[in-house]
PDB file of all heavy atoms in Angstrom:
ATOM      1  N   VAL U  64     -18.271  23.593  13.417  1.00 97.00           N
ATOM      2  CA  VAL U  64     -16.927  24.115  13.669  1.00 97.00           C
ATOM      3  C   VAL U  64     -16.346  24.603  12.340  1.00 97.00           C
ATOM      4  O   VAL U  64     -16.743  24.142  11.264  1.00 97.00           O
ATOM      5  CB  VAL U  64     -15.997  23.062  14.306  1.00 97.00           C
ATOM      6  CG1 VAL U  64     -16.496  22.683  15.690  1.00 97.00           C
ATOM      7  CG2 VAL U  64     -15.861  21.831  13.430  1.00 97.00           C
ATOM      8  N   ASP U  65     -15.426  25.539  12.431  1.00 97.00           N
ATOM      9  CA  ASP U  65     -14.809  26.106  11.221  1.00 97.00           C
ATOM     10  C   ASP U  65     -13.638  25.264  10.737  1.00 97.00           C
ATOM     11  O   ASP U  65     -13.428  25.122   9.529  1.00 97.00           O
ATOM     12  CB  ASP U  65     -14.312  27.526  11.507  1.00 97.00           C
ATOM     13  CG  ASP U  65     -15.425  28.442  11.976  1.00 97.00           C
ATOM     14  OD1 ASP U  65     -16.427  28.543  11.253  1.00 97.00           O
ATOM     15  OD2 ASP U  65     -15.286  29.053  13.050  1.00 97.00           O
ATOM     16  N   ILE U  66     -12.850  24.742  11.677  1.00 98.00           N
ATOM     17  CA  ILE U  66     -11.663  23.965  11.349  1.00 98.00           C
ATOM     18  C   ILE U  66     -11.527  22.829  12.350  1.00 98.00           C
ATOM     19  O   ILE U  66     -12.209  22.792  13.367  1.00 98.00           O
ATOM     20  CB  ILE U  66     -10.374  24.824  11.365  1.00 98.00           C
ATOM     21  CG1 ILE U  66     -10.195  25.480  12.738  1.00 98.00           C
ATOM     22  CG2 ILE U  66     -10.397  25.862  10.251  1.00 98.00           C
ATOM     23  CD1 ILE U  66      -8.883  26.229  12.886  1.00 98.00           C
ATOM     24  N   ALA U  67     -10.615  21.907  12.055  1.00 98.00           N
ATOM     25  CA  ALA U  67     -10.365  20.801  12.975  1.00 98.00           C
ATOM     26  C   ALA U  67      -8.959  20.278  12.748  1.00 98.00           C
ATOM     27  O   ALA U  67      -8.403  20.385  11.648  1.00 98.00           O
ATOM     28  CB  ALA U  67     -11.379  19.678  12.768  1.00 98.00           C
ATOM     29  N   ILE U  68      -8.383  19.740  13.821  1.00 97.00           N
ATOM     30  CA  ILE U  68      -7.151  18.963  13.690  1.00 97.00           C
ATOM     31  C   ILE U  68      -7.559  17.502  13.754  1.00 97.00           C
ATOM     32  O   ILE U  68      -8.095  17.037  14.767  1.00 97.00           O
ATOM     33  CB  ILE U  68      -6.142  19.308  14.802  1.00 97.00           C
ATOM     34  CG1 ILE U  68      -5.714  20.768  14.690  1.00 97.00           C
ATOM     35  CG2 ILE U  68      -4.931  18.390  14.710  1.00 97.00           C
ATOM     36  CD1 ILE U  68      -4.762  21.230  15.780  1.00 97.00           C
ATOM     37  N   VAL U  69      -7.338  16.795  12.675  1.00 96.00           N
ATOM     38  CA  VAL U  69      -7.866  15.439  12.536  1.00 96.00           C
ATOM     39  C   VAL U  69      -6.936  14.641  11.628  1.00 96.00           C
ATOM     40  O   VAL U  69      -6.207  15.209  10.807  1.00 96.00           O
ATOM     41  CB  VAL U  69      -9.302  15.501  11.947  1.00 96.00           C
ATOM     42  CG1 VAL U  69      -9.296  16.066  10.538  1.00 96.00           C
ATOM     43  CG2 VAL U  69      -9.999  14.165  12.008  1.00 96.00           C
ATOM     44  N   GLY U  70      -6.954  13.327  11.772  1.00 95.00           N
ATOM     45  CA  GLY U  70      -6.178  12.480  10.879  1.00 95.00           C
ATOM     46  C   GLY U  70      -6.779  12.478   9.493  1.00 95.00           C
ATOM     47  O   GLY U  70      -8.005  12.366   9.343  1.00 95.00           O
ATOM     48  N   ASP U  71      -5.942  12.607   8.467  1.00 93.00           N
ATOM     49  CA  ASP U  71      -6.527  12.667   7.120  1.00 93.00           C
ATOM     50  C   ASP U  71      -7.126  11.337   6.684  1.00 93.00           C
ATOM     51  O   ASP U  71      -7.923  11.292   5.754  1.00 93.00           O
ATOM     52  CB  ASP U  71      -5.530  13.202   6.082  1.00 93.00           C
ATOM     53  CG  ASP U  71      -4.253  12.391   5.988  1.00 93.00           C
ATOM     54  OD1 ASP U  71      -4.062  11.460   6.783  1.00 93.00           O
ATOM     55  OD2 ASP U  71      -3.421  12.713   5.111  1.00 93.00           O
ATOM     56  N   ASN U  72      -6.788  10.242   7.373  1.00 94.00           N
ATOM     57  CA  ASN U  72      -7.451   8.970   7.085  1.00 94.00           C
ATOM     58  C   ASN U  72      -8.946   9.053   7.379  1.00 94.00           C
ATOM     59  O   ASN U  72      -9.763   8.430   6.693  1.00 94.00           O
ATOM     60  CB  ASN U  72      -6.833   7.846   7.912  1.00 94.00           C
ATOM     61  CG  ASN U  72      -7.009   8.055   9.406  1.00 94.00           C
ATOM     62  OD1 ASN U  72      -6.398   8.948   9.982  1.00 94.00           O
ATOM     63  ND2 ASN U  72      -7.850   7.253  10.037  1.00 94.00           N
ATOM     64  N   LEU U  73      -9.316   9.842   8.382  1.00 94.00           N
ATOM     65  CA  LEU U  73     -10.728  10.000   8.723  1.00 94.00           C
ATOM     66  C   LEU U  73     -11.457  10.821   7.670  1.00 94.00           C
ATOM     67  O   LEU U  73     -12.644  10.597   7.400  1.00 94.00           O
ATOM     68  CB  LEU U  73     -10.859  10.656  10.103  1.00 94.00           C
ATOM     69  CG  LEU U  73     -12.222  10.564  10.790  1.00 94.00           C
ATOM     70  CD1 LEU U  73     -12.636   9.102  10.963  1.00 94.00           C
ATOM     71  CD2 LEU U  73     -12.207  11.272  12.124  1.00 94.00           C
ATOM     72  N   LEU U  74     -10.741  11.752   7.048  1.00 95.00           N
ATOM     73  CA  LEU U  74     -11.353  12.528   5.974  1.00 95.00           C
ATOM     74  C   LEU U  74     -11.565  11.661   4.732  1.00 95.00           C
ATOM     75  O   LEU U  74     -12.539  11.834   3.998  1.00 95.00           O
ATOM     76  CB  LEU U  74     -10.473  13.737   5.623  1.00 95.00           C
ATOM     77  CG  LEU U  74     -10.243  14.739   6.758  1.00 95.00           C
ATOM     78  CD1 LEU U  74      -9.416  15.914   6.259  1.00 95.00           C
ATOM     79  CD2 LEU U  74     -11.561  15.222   7.351  1.00 95.00           C
ATOM     80  N   VAL U  75     -10.656  10.735   4.490  1.00 94.00           N
ATOM     81  CA  VAL U  75     -10.841   9.788   3.384  1.00 94.00           C
ATOM     82  C   VAL U  75     -12.104   8.968   3.610  1.00 94.00           C
ATOM     83  O   VAL U  75     -12.867   8.692   2.681  1.00 94.00           O
ATOM     84  CB  VAL U  75      -9.612   8.859   3.257  1.00 94.00           C
ATOM     85  CG1 VAL U  75      -9.883   7.729   2.264  1.00 94.00           C
ATOM     86  CG2 VAL U  75      -8.391   9.658   2.822  1.00 94.00           C
ATOM     87  N   GLU U  76     -12.339   8.601   4.869  1.00 94.00           N
ATOM     88  CA  GLU U  76     -13.491   7.769   5.205  1.00 94.00           C
ATOM     89  C   GLU U  76     -14.801   8.555   5.238  1.00 94.00           C
ATOM     90  O   GLU U  76     -15.822   8.092   4.733  1.00 94.00           O
ATOM     91  CB  GLU U  76     -13.264   7.108   6.573  1.00 94.00           C
ATOM     92  CG  GLU U  76     -14.405   6.247   7.073  1.00 94.00           C
ATOM     93  CD  GLU U  76     -14.639   4.996   6.239  1.00 94.00           C
ATOM     94  OE1 GLU U  76     -13.684   4.523   5.570  1.00 94.00           O
ATOM     95  OE2 GLU U  76     -15.769   4.484   6.234  1.00 94.00           O
ATOM     96  N   LYS U  77     -14.766   9.769   5.808  1.00 92.00           N
ATOM     97  CA  LYS U  77     -16.028  10.466   6.095  1.00 92.00           C
ATOM     98  C   LYS U  77     -16.126  11.894   5.576  1.00 92.00           C
ATOM     99  O   LYS U  77     -17.174  12.505   5.720  1.00 92.00           O
ATOM    100  CB  LYS U  77     -16.259  10.499   7.613  1.00 92.00           C
ATOM    101  CG  LYS U  77     -16.484   9.143   8.239  1.00 92.00           C
ATOM    102  CD  LYS U  77     -16.860   9.283   9.706  1.00 92.00           C
ATOM    103  CE  LYS U  77     -17.246   7.945  10.298  1.00 92.00           C
ATOM    104  NZ  LYS U  77     -17.702   8.073  11.706  1.00 92.00           N
ATOM    105  N   GLY U  78     -15.060  12.421   5.011  1.00 82.00           N
ATOM    106  CA  GLY U  78     -15.115  13.836   4.660  1.00 82.00           C
ATOM    107  C   GLY U  78     -14.363  14.194   3.399  1.00 82.00           C
ATOM    108  O   GLY U  78     -13.511  15.082   3.396  1.00 82.00           O
ATOM    109  N   GLN U  79     -14.700  13.532   2.293  1.00 77.00           N
ATOM    110  CA  GLN U  79     -13.956  13.729   1.053  1.00 77.00           C
ATOM    111  C   GLN U  79     -14.016  15.151   0.512  1.00 77.00           C
ATOM    112  O   GLN U  79     -13.124  15.584  -0.202  1.00 77.00           O
ATOM    113  CB  GLN U  79     -14.460  12.759  -0.039  1.00 77.00           C
ATOM    114  CG  GLN U  79     -14.141  11.307   0.215  1.00 77.00           C
ATOM    115  CD  GLN U  79     -15.110  10.645   1.180  1.00 77.00           C
ATOM    116  OE1 GLN U  79     -16.050  11.263   1.663  1.00 77.00           O
ATOM    117  NE2 GLN U  79     -14.876   9.378   1.468  1.00 77.00           N
ATOM    118  N   ASN U  80     -15.058  15.901   0.841  1.00 83.00           N
ATOM    119  CA  ASN U  80     -15.209  17.270   0.322  1.00 83.00           C
ATOM    120  C   ASN U  80     -14.630  18.322   1.261  1.00 83.00           C
ATOM    121  O   ASN U  80     -14.779  19.517   1.018  1.00 83.00           O
ATOM    122  CB  ASN U  80     -16.698  17.566   0.071  1.00 83.00           C
ATOM    123  CG  ASN U  80     -17.277  16.680  -1.020  1.00 83.00           C
ATOM    124  OD1 ASN U  80     -16.600  16.364  -1.988  1.00 83.00           O
ATOM    125  ND2 ASN U  80     -18.519  16.266  -0.852  1.00 83.00           N
ATOM    126  N   ILE U  81     -13.986  17.877   2.323  1.00 94.00           N
ATOM    127  CA  ILE U  81     -13.403  18.796   3.287  1.00 94.00           C
ATOM    128  C   ILE U  81     -11.978  19.151   2.859  1.00 94.00           C
ATOM    129  O   ILE U  81     -11.159  18.272   2.579  1.00 94.00           O
ATOM    130  CB  ILE U  81     -13.399  18.176   4.698  1.00 94.00           C
ATOM    131  CG1 ILE U  81     -14.844  17.951   5.171  1.00 94.00           C
ATOM    132  CG2 ILE U  81     -12.641  19.064   5.673  1.00 94.00           C
ATOM    133  CD1 ILE U  81     -14.948  17.184   6.473  1.00 94.00           C
ATOM    134  N   GLN U  82     -11.692  20.432   2.810  1.00 93.00           N
ATOM    135  CA  GLN U  82     -10.382  20.911   2.359  1.00 93.00           C
ATOM    136  C   GLN U  82      -9.339  20.762   3.469  1.00 93.00           C
ATOM    137  O   GLN U  82      -9.607  21.005   4.638  1.00 93.00           O
ATOM    138  CB  GLN U  82     -10.470  22.382   1.947  1.00 93.00           C
ATOM    139  CG  GLN U  82      -9.155  22.988   1.496  1.00 93.00           C
ATOM    140  CD  GLN U  82      -9.268  24.473   1.244  1.00 93.00           C
ATOM    141  OE1 GLN U  82     -10.331  25.064   1.369  1.00 93.00           O
ATOM    142  NE2 GLN U  82      -8.155  25.089   0.888  1.00 93.00           N
ATOM    143  N   ILE U  83      -8.132  20.375   3.059  1.00 95.00           N
ATOM    144  CA  ILE U  83      -6.993  20.316   3.975  1.00 95.00           C
ATOM    145  C   ILE U  83      -6.172  21.580   3.777  1.00 95.00           C
ATOM    146  O   ILE U  83      -5.669  21.843   2.685  1.00 95.00           O
ATOM    147  CB  ILE U  83      -6.136  19.071   3.716  1.00 95.00           C
ATOM    148  CG1 ILE U  83      -6.930  17.808   4.066  1.00 95.00           C
ATOM    149  CG2 ILE U  83      -4.837  19.121   4.525  1.00 95.00           C
ATOM    150  CD1 ILE U  83      -6.210  16.519   3.733  1.00 95.00           C
TER     151      ILE U  83
END
Side-chain angles (χ1 to χ4, degrees):
V64 295
D65 302 305
I66 58 174
I68 297 177
V69 64
D71 58 355
N72 63 290
L73 196 58
L74 299 183
V75 171
E76 178 67 25
K77 294 186 173 184
Q79 291 81 1
N80 295 324
I81 296 173
Q82 179 186 358
I83 294 175

